[in-house]
Amino acid sequence: MRLWYGVTTVIVAAALLPGCAGDLEGRIPLVAGTGAPVIIPGGPGDAGRTARPGERLGDSEARVTAADVRFAEGMIPHHRQALEMAALVPPRTASPEVRGLAGRITAAQRPEIAAMTSWLTSVGRAPGGHGDHRAVTLEQMNRLRAARGEAFDRLFLRLMIAHHEEALRMAGSRLRQGADRVMLAIAQDVVSGQGVEIARMRRLLRGL
């Protein structure tokens, strides 16, 4: 399991009042959830107690900016399109390399979608309600669906390289402007993981 995903499970316990992205600047209030009990230590010689669900426990050191929210809201549909493209691979190619690439993309991006969806909920945003970010056009997707064999491999690699390059631009903007630690970890993961995949796809493309 990736390191940032463990961080996400902690931050998801936090909650902010709903509002626009610009209203999210500041510390995140920590609120007890309904899952694992949170023990609050007592004073000297006193027993601790279990926090009530919904009880405010203070403020975390994490901060949220509009750039963090924009990154999550844009990257979720972006990742979903990558999963849609990867799902086209098995019945259309005989290349084990392309199949393996699609499998790695799916394995990496599904948990990132889950983490960003939980994070948006934790800061009072409704996941999935902020437009449809599509780096690959509907026409290009239809061409990909119609292709088979080596023609499919070439088109898939070209489109996925462009798709990953857009993700790097989105993550780079987040790294320059964001502040939240969970979104920082995911953006860094996108930059490192998808940068490696771009180089791998370019090598595969040269070999076709």
Side-chain angles (χ1 to χ4, degrees):
M1 183 175 293
R2 296 171 184 239
L3 177 61
W4 55 262
Y5 197 73
V7 175
T8 302
T9 60
V10 176
I11 301 300
V12 162
L16 285 177
L17 294 176
C20 68
D23 295 333
L24 296 179
E25 306 281 349
R27 295 182 185 274
I28 300 177
L30 295 177
V31 179
T34 57
V38 177
I39 305 301
I40 299 176
D46 295 333
R49 66 178 181 85
T50 301
R52 301 182 304 277
E55 180 179 351
R56 181 161 175 163
L57 307 177
D59 292 335
S60 78
E61 292 300 316
R63 299 182 68 82
V64 176
T65 69
D68 295 312
V69 175
R70 285 194 302 269
F71 173 72
E73 290 179 343
M75 193 59 74
I76 288 172
H78 189 271
H79 273 12
R80 284 176 177 156
Q81 187 177 59
L83 296 184
E84 182 182 355
M85 294 168 67
L88 298 176
V89 169
R92 291 171 173 81
T93 183
S95 168
E97 292 82 9
V98 175
R99 286 173 178 260
L101 173 68
R104 287 189 293 272
I105 288 170
T106 300
Q109 297 194 18
R110 280 193 190 281
E112 288 180 345
I113 289 173
M116 289 184 287
T117 299
S118 294
W119 182 87
L120 281 172
T121 299
S122 79
V123 298
R125 302 290 285 184
H130 305 281
D132 184 16
H133 183 103
R134 298 184 70 87
V136 175
T137 68
L138 179 59
E139 179 184 359
Q140 290 171 323
M141 287 295 295
N142 286 336
R143 286 171 51 207
L144 189 62
R145 291 186 183 98
R148 295 294 186 278
E150 192 171 297
F152 173 85
D153 295 343
R154 285 194 296 269
L155 184 57
F156 175 81
L157 292 170
R158 290 189 184 115
L159 292 179
M160 192 61 80
I161 287 170
H163 198 271
H164 275 25
E165 287 173 341
E166 175 64 16
L168 294 186
R169 287 190 288 271
M170 295 167 67
S173 176
R174 161 56 193 81
L175 292 174
R176 290 189 299 272
Q177 302 174 29
D180 179 78
R181 290 173 293 183
V182 175
M183 291 302 102
L184 169 65
I186 294 178
Q188 289 173 332
D189 189 72
V190 167
V191 169
S192 60
Q194 297 200 22
V196 169
E197 287 178 348
I198 287 173
R200 183 180 292 120
M201 288 188 287
R202 286 174 175 161
R203 288 195 299 271
L204 289 175
L205 195 54
R206 287 194 296 267
L208 293 176

